[in-house]
Amino acid sequence: MIELIPAIDIINGQCVRLTKGDYDQKTVYRDSPAEVAQEFESIGFKRLHVVDLDGAKSKHIVNTNVLRQIVLRTHLCVDFGGGIKTDDDIETAFANGAEMVTVGSIAVTNPDLFISWLQIYGADRLILGADVRNGKISINGWKEDSTEDLLPFLKKYIDAGVKNVLCTEISKDGTLQGPAIDLYKRVMQEYPDLHLIASGGVSSIDDIRALDAAGIPAVVFGKAIYEGKIDLHELINVI
């Protein structure tokens, strides 16, 4: 059964969603991310994906207080990403209650630092973020494209011990046009033991069913919730 992970993206302390990672295409949904997290928990979700979009853009953690409030007000397993660039950043995330941390850009720009974190914190607490645009890994809040191709990028870190990968197809993110199932299937064919978390484009319960049928271990979804495309009570009971 696919693991269901609702998402909260944060700008200026508010719950927002972007379209294709464009900060100029921002929609504010709620002023209190912690209240949204409490609602997710009350429905029956156990896990939450939190993205500090200010942090991703600024290249350092910004919304630490929001993370702390979510952790204090729920029992959700929170994985946190956005702006994790230094030892201080990752230590701050864990100190403020994140159970897992998602790291993407540093794995491209400073592989040695990423590997050191993998060794210090362990593969169960570190998620490799693989954000893809035109087949290449994108970094720094999706503002820059690297020269790294997805599958070789994953292989390098899976060989180093990575178990968890969050893969976002940027062209799908926030569009409600359906997930990049073929991309995720290709990854799982190459790395069948990987705990792959699909992200981007989910628009309905049927999309989640399709990912489940394709053998994708987990899915992150956000905009479909806030736009009323998915009934969470129905989802939690049918998946």
Side-chain angles (χ1 to χ4, degrees):
M1 183 181 295
I2 194 166
E3 182 181 15
L4 303 171
I5 310 172
I8 293 177
D9 293 356
I10 305 163
I11 292 179
N12 295 328
Q14 298 173 308
C15 179
V16 308
R17 293 299 288 179
L18 306 180
T19 299
K20 298 183 181 180
D22 185 348
Y23 283 73
D24 292 327
Q25 297 187 61
K26 177 186 76 173
T27 303
V28 177
Y29 289 102
R30 296 282 291 275
D31 288 331
S32 175
E35 288 182 3
V36 176
Q38 286 178 306
E39 290 170 13
F40 289 151
E41 184 177 38
S42 71
I43 292 168
F45 292 95
K46 305 297 183 186
R47 172 97 174 260
L48 179 66
H49 177 62
V50 178
V51 182
D52 182 354
L53 289 174
D54 293 313
K57 190 174 184 179
S58 302
K59 302 184 182 181
H60 60 85
I61 288 181
V62 174
N63 286 287
T64 311
N65 185 57
V66 177
L67 168 62
R68 188 65 183 160
Q69 286 301 309
I70 290 171
V71 170
L72 287 173
R73 293 169 65 175
T74 73
H75 295 92
L76 293 165
C77 172
V78 177
D79 74 73
F80 181 85
I84 309 292
K85 306 294 186 185
T86 66
D87 289 333
D88 284 345
D89 287 325
I90 195 168
E91 288 167 8
T92 296
F94 283 126
N96 281 276
E99 293 194 36
M100 307 176 79
V101 165
T102 300
V103 178
S105 300
I106 284 299
V108 174
T109 62
N110 193 339
D112 290 342
L113 182 58
F114 180 85
I115 293 295
S116 75
W117 291 345
L118 189 62
Q119 293 169 343
I120 292 168
Y121 299 104
D124 292 330
R125 301 194 74 194
L126 200 65
I127 302 169
L128 174 62
D131 302 327
V132 184
R133 180 163 44 209
N134 299 321
K136 303 289 186 182
I137 300 296
S138 184
I139 61 174
N140 294 329
W142 302 348
K143 295 297 182 184
E144 304 170 37
D145 291 331
S146 75
T147 59
E148 297 265 12
D149 291 313
L150 174 61
L151 291 180
F153 175 75
L154 294 181
K155 183 179 188 308
K156 174 170 58 178
Y157 288 115
I158 290 169
D159 288 348
V162 161
K163 297 178 181 177
N164 303 287
V165 170
L166 173 68
C167 185
T168 303
E169 170 50 75
I170 295 169
S171 68
K172 296 280 191 178
D173 193 70
T175 66
L176 299 175
Q177 294 177 355
I181 293 178
D182 288 343
L183 173 68
Y184 304 131
K185 287 170 69 174
R186 192 159 68 247
V187 172
M188 292 307 299
Q189 286 168 359
E190 289 288 327
Y191 309 112
D193 296 327
L194 183 67
H195 188 76
L196 178 67
I197 308 164
S199 173
V202 170
S203 65
S204 66
I205 291 177
D206 285 343
D207 284 339
I208 295 176
R209 285 194 178 107
L211 288 165
D212 192 21
I216 310 307
V219 58
V220 161
F221 51 101
K223 192 168 188 176
I225 300 170
Y226 305 116
E227 293 286 337
K229 304 293 186 183
I230 290 178
D231 182 321
L232 293 181
H233 292 88
E234 179 185 358
L235 176 65
I236 204 81
N237 287 317
V238 300
I239 298 294

